[in-house]
Amino acid sequence: MASQSAHTPEQLVADLVLLLDLEPKGGDRFIGRRHPDGTGRVFGGQAIAQALGAARRTVDEDRETHSLHAYFLRPGNDDLPIEYRVKRDLDGRSFSNRRVVASQDGKPILNLTASFQIPAGGPSHSSPQMPDVPGPGELVSDDDVRHEIAKVLPEGLLRQLAERPSPIDFRSVEPRDWMHPEVREPISHVWFRTVASLPEEAAVHRAVLAYISDFQLLATALHPHGKSIFDPKMKSASLDHAIWFHGDFRADEWMLYVTESPWTGQARGFGRGQIFTHDGRLVASVAQEGMVRHT
């Protein structure tokens, strides 16, 4: 992957696509690449996207990913590659199902089940409508906000995270204050897209969306408590994660991620999300529960 000195939008996106690609090792076994600028712990969205990619490689091209369900078992280590082993549970006339176990040092860190479908017609409706919120052109990039925060942070992991360039342009509708958040309703609206164009393959766009889907949900669950996932007095981690893909989209065009948290308790936070294209189509739904507790 590119060095720290190569941070053009095109290179950042190329690095993301390479990160989510896999090295085949035969026998439905694959190796996931390491993040070159990792912070020690594998980002959950990376493991989900790589596991989905491993499953996708064992399915016929005419079948599209329509859902995945994942459990995070152990923290991943950025210093080690991840091994993905795929089990082919079903290849029916319309659907295929795959199980994937992601491991490091011989220990599973994530289990994922994915389902694939040959596109077909049938009854159709979509609800609710996309919220009426300011468009991305009216908002500042979250990167700009993070870089301003980084100027006053001491050396360390938080500053490293704040300064790291991102292949995703996030633009939050609600003001973001990662260091001193205020108590507010558990709902967020964030526009996003990759900072440069992606390859044409639909599987790449779905993998990138799976990667992005792990952002934001636990943060939204902490809004009513005036806490941030970056608060050193809080400990948070994804426990399980599910995505349902409803239609085609491009992850390099603006999409709106609407997240809400109807419940938090028992040291867990529950969140759900809806992802809309810029023209208002609902193309994915997400649900996640994570650990949120005081250190």
Side-chain angles (χ1 to χ4, degrees):
M1 293 193 184
S3 67
Q4 282 281 356
S5 61
H7 288 327
T8 66
E10 293 77 13
Q11 187 60 61
L12 287 169
V13 171
D15 285 353
L16 175 62
V17 172
L18 182 61
L19 176 68
L20 302 185
D21 197 7
L22 298 149
E23 299 178 25
K25 293 297 183 180
D28 291 345
R29 175 174 167 263
F30 305 87
I31 299 296
R33 294 176 172 83
R34 299 181 298 113
H35 197 299
D37 304 324
T39 58
R41 182 172 172 174
V42 174
F43 171 55
Q46 173 188 329
I48 290 171
Q50 288 181 335
L52 175 61
R56 184 71 188 86
R57 288 197 177 201
T58 69
V59 176
D60 291 344
E61 289 294 327
D62 63 347
R63 301 184 181 219
E64 297 178 348
T65 311
H66 82 82
S67 69
L68 65 83
H69 300 258
Y71 279 91
F72 296 94
L73 306 178
R74 295 178 176 85
N77 186 336
D78 263 332
D79 294 330
L80 301 172
I82 306 175
E83 178 186 67
Y84 297 90
R85 291 185 177 269
V86 182
K87 296 293 185 181
R88 304 187 184 213
D89 287 340
L90 172 71
D91 281 308
R93 288 186 298 176
S94 300
F95 291 88
S96 292
N97 189 280
R98 298 291 187 264
R99 281 181 294 144
V100 184
V101 177
S103 302
Q104 287 184 319
D105 268 348
K107 296 179 180 179
I109 65 170
L110 175 134
N111 289 340
L112 178 142
T113 303
S115 183
F116 304 83
Q117 178 191 17
I118 296 174
S124 177
H125 79 276
S126 181
S127 178
Q129 301 298 310
M130 184 172 72
D132 183 13
V133 297
E138 304 174 54
L139 304 168
V140 299
S141 172
D142 286 8
D143 261 9
D144 294 338
V145 178
R146 288 191 297 106
H147 293 160
E148 286 300 313
I149 293 173
K151 294 177 181 178
V152 298
L153 289 176
E155 293 288 344
L157 178 59
L158 282 181
R159 183 168 178 176
Q160 180 184 349
L161 287 170
E163 291 179 332
R164 188 166 69 182
S166 173
I168 315 298
D169 185 356
F170 291 103
R171 301 195 180 188
S172 297
V173 173
E174 292 81 16
R176 299 295 297 270
D177 188 341
W178 285 278
M179 305 311 298
H180 306 289
E182 296 182 355
V183 173
R184 61 184 180 90
E185 291 295 310
I187 187 166
S188 295
H189 305 83
V190 180
W191 292 97
F192 68 86
R193 68 177 179 185
T194 56
V195 296
S197 297
L198 289 165
E200 292 298 317
E201 293 84 359
V204 173
H205 291 262
R206 295 195 180 205
V208 170
L209 189 68
Y211 174 85
I212 293 170
S213 70
D214 194 34
F215 287 95
Q216 195 65 30
L217 287 163
L218 284 184
T220 302
L222 291 174
H223 288 340
H225 312 281
K227 299 294 184 180
S228 164
I229 58 173
F230 298 112
D231 188 333
K233 297 180 180 180
M234 295 295 300
K235 186 173 183 179
S236 63
S238 301
L239 296 174
D240 60 332
H241 192 93
I243 309 173
W244 296 265
F245 297 98
H246 308 314
D248 293 328
F249 57 86
R250 293 191 63 93
D252 52 9
E253 296 179 353
W254 286 115
M255 306 177 76
L256 181 67
Y257 196 4
V258 182
T259 58
E260 62 174 340
S261 176
W263 176 87
T264 295
Q266 302 294 318
R268 305 193 312 275
F270 175 70
R272 56 194 178 200
Q274 295 170 319
I275 300 176
F276 298 87
T277 58
H278 194 273
D279 61 1
R281 289 185 300 113
L282 178 65
V283 293
S285 297
V286 185
Q288 183 186 84
E289 193 170 61
M291 178 188 69
V292 286
R293 68 186 183 198
H294 298 287
T295 56

